[in-house]
């Protein structure tokens, strides 16, 4: 298992459209292990493969790790099959958008289908933080960041801040 560096915005690779996984094999399971370790190392609750530079439709989530328990879940080729009309607002953050948090409105409840790490088809009904986190991670698979949901002004301010932070880091 390897902790891999997480790409940060503005990086064009984060805008890539990730591709469906054809076969859930040992390579995909190794990718899931690396993603899980990378998520834990960065103290996140989710991670999409593109955040470590791999344009495959794979994401991992563990909402429990903040409580010190580990309950990682992998989602391969996830699809939202139903979304509630009711919306919910959560303050979101992103390991690829460091130090920026803001409210994002998304459907409050969703139904999704996906393949697990054994390649078995699974369905899931989610609300609360799990629904938010799944939608946030699925956005990554389509090259969308949570700041893309903010007003143009807020998004531009965020990109300016991220660009400045990156330049400072590079010159240090
Ligand atoms: O980079 C990511 O995609 C992971 C991201 C997931 C997420 C957080 C909050 C709302 C939606 C999606 C994070 O893990 S941000 C960092 C974090 O540590 C955290 C966020 C919420 C609660 C607890 C921790
Ligand atoms: Zn994110």
């Amino acid at each position: 298992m390897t902790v891999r560096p997480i790409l940060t915005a503005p990086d064009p690779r984060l805008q890539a459209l990730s591709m469906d996984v054809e076969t859930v094999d040992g390579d995909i399971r190794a990718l899931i292990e690396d993603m899980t370790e990378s998520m834990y190392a960065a103290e996140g609750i989710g991670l999409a493969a593109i955040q470590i530079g791999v344009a495959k439709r794979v994401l991992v989530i563990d909402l429990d790790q903040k409580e010190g328990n580990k309950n990682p879940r992998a989602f391969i080729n996830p699809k939202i099959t139903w979304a509630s009309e009711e919306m919910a607002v959560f303050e979101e953050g992103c390991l690829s958008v460091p130090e920026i948090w803001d409210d994002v409105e998304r459907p409050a409840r969703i139904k999704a289908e996906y393949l697990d790490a054994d390649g078995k088809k699974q369905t899931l009904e989610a609300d609360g933080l799990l629904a938010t986190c799944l939608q946030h991670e699925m956005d990554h698979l389509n090259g969308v960041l949570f700041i893309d949901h903010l007003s143009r002004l807020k998004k531009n301010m965020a990109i300016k801040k991220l660009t400045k932070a990156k330049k400072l880091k590079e010159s240090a």
Side-chain angles (χ1 to χ4, degrees):
M1 276 192 265
T2 312
V3 173
R4 307 232 215 139
I6 294 174
L7 305 180
T8 55
D11 184 317
R13 287 172 289 180
L14 288 167
Q15 291 171 347
L17 178 68
S18 294
M19 294 295 146
D20 268 338
V21 170
E22 297 294 334
T23 314
V24 180
D25 55 15
D27 287 350
I28 293 297
R29 281 186 278 276
L31 171 66
I32 288 168
E33 287 194 359
D34 284 0
M35 288 171 62
T36 306
E37 280 311 295
S38 306
M39 172 181 73
Y40 288 148
E43 299 187 0
I45 55 169
L47 195 75
I50 194 62
Q51 292 179 274
I52 57 166
V54 178
K56 292 186 194 295
R57 299 187 84 81
V58 180
L59 58 94
V60 294
I61 291 180
D62 188 347
L63 300 185
D64 297 332
Q65 63 135 333
K66 290 275 161 189
E67 272 74 58
N69 308 311
K70 286 192 175 164
N71 183 24
R73 290 200 257 185
F75 300 81
I76 301 164
N77 300 342
K79 282 181 188 64
I80 292 176
T81 54
W82 174 83
S84 65
E85 279 179 24
E86 186 198 339
M87 304 294 277
V89 176
F90 268 87
E91 192 179 40
E92 298 192 17
C94 181
L95 300 172
S96 295
V97 184
E99 290 172 33
I100 293 173
W101 290 80
D102 215 323
D103 286 348
V104 178
E105 187 179 49
R106 301 182 187 270
R109 284 171 289 122
I110 55 164
K111 289 182 187 172
E113 56 183 41
Y114 62 97
L115 301 177
D116 65 19
D118 295 319
K120 286 200 184 113
K121 193 170 166 179
Q122 302 286 350
T123 57
L124 170 98
E125 226 174 308
D127 62 7
L129 184 58
L130 180 57
T132 292
C133 193
L134 257 172
Q135 291 175 80
H136 173 117
E137 301 308 333
M138 287 170 74
D139 267 358
H140 276 300
L141 306 183
N142 296 324
V144 175
L145 297 174
F146 83 91
I147 54 172
D148 294 317
H149 291 278
L150 305 180
S151 68
R152 188 179 292 233
L153 179 70
K154 278 190 172 182
K155 182 180 165 180
N156 286 344
M157 277 167 53
I159 290 170
K160 249 188 190 168
K161 191 174 166 188
L162 291 160
T163 307
K164 201 173 162 188
K166 218 172 216 189
K167 273 193 188 143
L168 275 172
K169 210 174 160 190
E170 278 164 11
S171 68

